[in-house]
Amino acid sequence: MLRLEDGLCSALDRDTWLCSIYENRPWVCREFEMGSYECEVERAESLTVSPGR
Ligand code: SF4
């Protein structure tokens, strides 16, 4: 998915932090296991990224 200037997916609703196209999200999003090791790494990295990345 396209990442915007803040480094987040363009389909991510910045107010709710929910996927705005959840029912039609891409295959890779469907395969990405929530709470997996990879998920935890991505979350940790996103928390260390300063705004306006
Ligand atoms: S589930 Fe996929 S499409 Fe939806 S916000 Fe996350 S990365 Fe973007």
Side-chain angles (χ1 to χ4, degrees):
M1 293 296 294
L2 174 67
R3 289 185 179 213
L4 301 183
E5 289 184 10
D6 59 10
L8 300 176
C9 176
S10 59
L12 180 67
D13 184 314
R14 268 57 172 177
D15 295 324
T16 64
W17 289 94
L18 297 175
C19 177
S20 63
I21 58 167
Y22 189 77
E23 294 301 322
N24 298 305
R25 67 195 184 284
W27 174 85
V28 67
C29 300
R30 296 172 187 270
E31 290 296 308
F32 200 87
E33 182 183 351
M34 288 190 294
S36 65
Y37 172 77
E38 292 80 6
C39 182
E40 295 296 325
V41 170
E42 287 294 324
R43 284 170 175 255
E45 288 180 0
S46 69
L47 290 175
T48 60
V49 174
S50 61
R53 175 178 123 177

